[in-house]
Structures are given as C-alpha cells and as structure tokens.
Amino acid sequence: MTDTFVIVGGGLAGAKAAETLREEGFAGRLVLIAAEDELPYERPPLSKGYLLGSAPREEAQVHPREFYGEHDIELLAGVAATAVDVVEHRLALADGRSVTYDRLLIATGAVPRRPPIPGIDLDGVHTLRTLADSDALRAAFQPGGSVAVIGAGWIGCEVAAAARTHGADVVLVERAATPLHAVLGPELGGWFGDLHAAHGVRVLTGVAVERIAGAGRVEAVRLGGGDTIECDAVVVGVGVAPDTTLAAAAGLQIDDGIVVDEHLRTSAPDVFAAGDVANAFHPYYGRHVRVEHWANALNQGPVAARSMLGRDEPYDRLPYFFTDQYDAGMEYTGLHDPHDTLILRGAPADAAFHALWLDAERRVTAGMHINQWDTIESVERLIRAGAPVDLERLADTDTELDALARAPS
C-alpha cells in the first residue's frame, strides 16, 4: 500500500510543497486541498501587479492547471477542511468526504483582522487577502473615486499606492505617528509617508477611526477627533492573524500560529505546518519566529515537504520582505529590535539608499534598501557574519558591504 500525503492550503507554501514532493521522488497519493475555488496562487500580485492592472490574473498562479494532472496531484479546489483527527490520521472536508493521511501539511495561511469598528460590515468596506478581494478593489478603484485606507502597514500602503495609481482620491489613516511605524520606526516610516504625500495621498497619522458611516453602503469614515472623510470605498488594512482554526480544534500546540520545530513538525505525529500560519523555531535566532511574507511561504513549503519524507532539513533562512510603491522598490532582510540603532547609508532624499539596524554590540541585525538593487544578499552576509562593524565605514557608501562582512572591526 502506498502512502497518502495531504496538504491543506491553496497558497504558495502548499503548492511548492506538492511540487517538491514529486521532485523528491514521492510516488504515493498526493492530495492538495484549497478552500477557494481557484488554482493555488501566491499573494504579492494581489496588492501589486494584479491590483495595479499591470499583470494578468494568471501571474498569481503558482502553477498552470495542467501541472496538477501531469504530476498526479489531486487538487480539491473549492472545498474546506473542517476537522483533523490526529489519532486516526483522518481529515474531514466540508462536502462530507474524508481523507486518511500518512503525513499532513497544514498551510492555511492567515486571515485579515477585522477590528470592532461600527459600520465595518457596510457594503463598500473591503479587506485584501484573496483574489476575489483584489477583483473587488480593482472595480472600486476608479478615476475620481474616493478611497479611505485604514491602516498604514505594508498592505495599507500598497493598496493606497494602487488606488492612487488608478486615479482615485486617497486618504491613508494610521493610528501611529507614521506609516509603518511599528516595523520601520519614525524616520523610515516618515519617509514612506512623504512618498505617499508626494503622489497625492492625504496621509493622516496619530488618529483613530471612530466609525464607518453610511446607509447600507459606506459614505464616510468618522475619526476620533471629529473629522469626517467622505468616501465611496474603505479598505481595512490592519494586519492579519494566523488561520489556526483547524489546527487548534485538532489540539495542536498554538502560540501566535502553529508551533513547529526547525523541521516544521507540529506537536502531533506526522503533522507539519508551513507558511504564514507556522511559528517555527529558527536556529539562527534561537527562538520561534513567525513570518507573514511571500519568501517564507516560498521556501518553507519545500522544507516541509522534505521533512514529510523524513529528510530533515532545518529552516534557517533569514526573514525577507519586499514592496513596490509607486517608483520605490524596497527589500528587507533580517529581524531588528525597536531598540536597535538605525544607520542610513546614502541620502533618503535621493530615493536610493540603505538602512541598517545594529544591536548594542554593533552587529547588523537587519537591513533594507530603497532602489539599490542586487545588494540584499550582501546585507544578508553582513548579518550572518555576526561581527561588530565600524559605524563610519558602514555609513560610507564608498565602502562595499561585503568588505564590511569580511573585515575585522
């Protein structure tokens, strides 16, 4: 009897895991379950190229439709997994079917947070997580339309840029002092705020949303200070939460996601997790880290597949993220603490610079660039070198980053 491997999740992590299982020689039954009635797809185009209208819908798909038949992958799209029995190794589906498994990978991703704002259920209030969400936003972003974006994190900023590019009037509302304040701090957050303002976005920071108003359909956003933003569409972009519903009901260990070891094993035998939902022990940091970005799903899926095959391989890639907003492209790698020292390398006013964070021992913990392409691997090498660096040389654009990684300080 051949083994049956089951993957729950129609995103990038699940699709790449299925691909890797076949590449690595798994010849048993392989079932990929996707709750949405879509081919498995990745998320970045939803807030970038596809939302902007510069990329076709197919670009979001991880593989073309024929890939699944050619690789003998049973794709069950449009059906949700509802329960896991980790003792009997059985997965129940919403349509009444069940599938027994020898190994199970949970890659259920994350769901948008919906804060308890009065009026959040009105027509015209959107979140962005699915292709259907992106389709709805494309329809809502019309020249001359008015859009209020609540939350100036990564998704909020990218959505604001897309709406503005489509010709809509945009107001970006953020409770913190700057956009991206929690992840980048005030100086870089302010840079992104200025970027949006320069492209015609009205950026309101340090304000709270009191309610979303409208008679059946959104008409305005009322702010805590009494101001009103009239709009015909609202996008709520205040982050996501790991989708642990299935795993929690099965009794798996949950703590800001599904807790897994460095090989992406959960607390239950023969069950693994990858992608946005996985809070994985990271050998480099010596602690659990959950990352909600595309690169994590891309790379964890294959590692989980190899672990399912018994070929243990620790997942130790540094966190990585990228964004494109207007003419600014950014890549970030590493993991910095809010108390780390920020060093700028180049002039932010030139819209081409590096930002690097150092801990108390002058070791680089993270770095990002704006429009300084083909340098992120050098930043990663500098982080992994783990040695103190000379601050003046680090800020000096004439000193190569790789030279700093090699040089004693």
Side-chain angles (χ1 to χ4, degrees):
M1 178 178 289
T2 59
D3 284 347
T4 296
F5 284 10
V6 176
I7 299 168
V8 178
L12 181 59
K16 295 302 288 186
E19 175 187 330
T20 302
L21 285 168
R22 288 304 190 217
E23 286 180 345
E24 297 285 330
F26 177 65
R29 184 186 181 197
L30 180 53
V31 184
L32 176 56
I33 299 167
E36 294 176 60
D37 193 12
E38 300 276 1
L39 293 178
Y41 63 90
E42 54 186 274
R43 307 286 172 186
L46 276 58
S47 62
K48 297 181 177 70
Y50 182 62
L51 183 58
L52 287 166
S54 61
R57 187 183 183 89
E58 292 74 22
E59 189 170 292
Q61 295 169 358
V62 185
H63 305 106
R65 185 175 300 277
E66 57 268 21
F67 173 89
Y68 300 95
E70 291 171 354
H71 291 82
D72 196 20
I73 299 169
E74 296 178 43
L75 176 60
L76 306 183
V79 58
T82 56
V84 180
D85 185 329
V86 298
V87 176
E88 297 295 328
H89 281 47
R90 183 178 298 275
L91 184 74
L93 306 181
D95 61 5
R97 287 180 289 175
S98 65
V99 183
T100 56
Y101 65 85
D102 294 284
R103 300 280 191 279
L104 172 68
L105 172 62
I106 301 176
T108 45
V111 292
R113 297 184 187 275
R114 293 180 64 85
I117 302 172
I120 197 170
D121 293 322
L122 288 171
D123 288 344
V125 179
H126 305 268
T127 55
L128 178 56
R129 185 65 187 178
T130 67
L131 269 170
D133 293 338
S134 194
D135 287 336
L137 290 181
R138 282 168 59 119
F141 294 169
Q142 299 294 330
S146 54
V147 179
V149 181
I150 300 173
W154 293 118
I155 290 296
C157 285
E158 290 182 357
V159 165
R164 191 73 191 106
T165 301
H166 280 289
D169 294 327
V170 181
V171 181
L172 183 58
V173 182
E174 170 57 46
R175 180 187 291 268
T178 70
L180 300 164
H181 194 275
V183 290
L184 296 182
E187 187 168 1
L188 293 172
W191 187 90
F192 275 96
D194 291 343
L195 173 70
H196 281 272
H199 284 82
V201 174
R202 183 182 172 201
V203 181
L204 301 179
T205 56
V207 295
V209 173
E210 184 178 89
R211 62 191 296 262
I212 302 170
R217 182 173 182 82
V218 62
E219 298 172 9
V221 173
R222 314 286 190 199
L223 303 180
D227 290 340
T228 297
I229 303 167
E230 294 184 356
C231 56
D232 45 47
V234 171
V235 184
V236 179
V238 294
V240 296
D243 187 357
T244 58
T245 304
L246 184 71
L252 302 185
Q253 184 181 355
I254 305 295
D255 183 6
D256 184 32
I258 304 172
V259 177
V260 295
D261 65 13
E262 65 269 34
H263 305 295
L264 307 182
R265 298 189 194 90
T266 73
S267 56
D270 303 318
V271 181
F272 304 78
D276 289 1
V277 76
N279 189 2
F281 183 83
H282 199 294
Y284 181 81
Y285 296 108
R287 60 184 176 88
H288 283 80
V289 176
R290 189 175 69 84
V291 180
E292 295 172 353
H293 301 315
W294 164 88
N296 194 60
L298 174 72
N299 295 302
Q300 274 194 353
V303 170
R306 296 184 187 102
S307 291
M308 293 170 79
L309 292 169
R311 303 168 192 171
D312 285 350
E313 169 188 318
Y315 183 80
D316 64 354
R317 286 179 175 264
L318 296 181
Y320 168 87
F321 177 68
F322 74 96
T323 187
D324 296 304
Q325 298 172 36
Y326 312 108
D327 52 357
M330 185 278 280
E331 292 177 291
Y332 171 103
T333 189
L335 190 62
H336 74 272
D337 185 274
H339 301 293
D340 288 349
T341 299
L342 173 64
I343 299 293
L344 296 181
R345 181 180 167 92
D350 296 336
F353 65 96
H354 282 91
L356 300 116
W357 287 265
L358 289 80
D359 63 16
E361 284 74 43
R362 295 186 290 114
R363 298 173 299 192
V364 176
T365 58
M368 58 164 270
H369 76 80
I370 296 289
N371 295 334
Q372 294 276 27
W373 301 106
D374 302 322
T375 61
I376 201 68
E377 291 182 355
S378 297
V379 174
E380 181 174 342
R381 286 190 286 270
L382 190 56
I383 295 168
R384 287 193 179 275
V389 297
D390 181 278
L391 301 189
E392 290 186 3
R393 296 186 70 210
L394 182 63
D396 182 3
T397 55
D398 290 332
T399 302
E400 293 184 1
L401 290 172
D402 280 331
L404 290 167
R406 293 190 300 266
S409 178

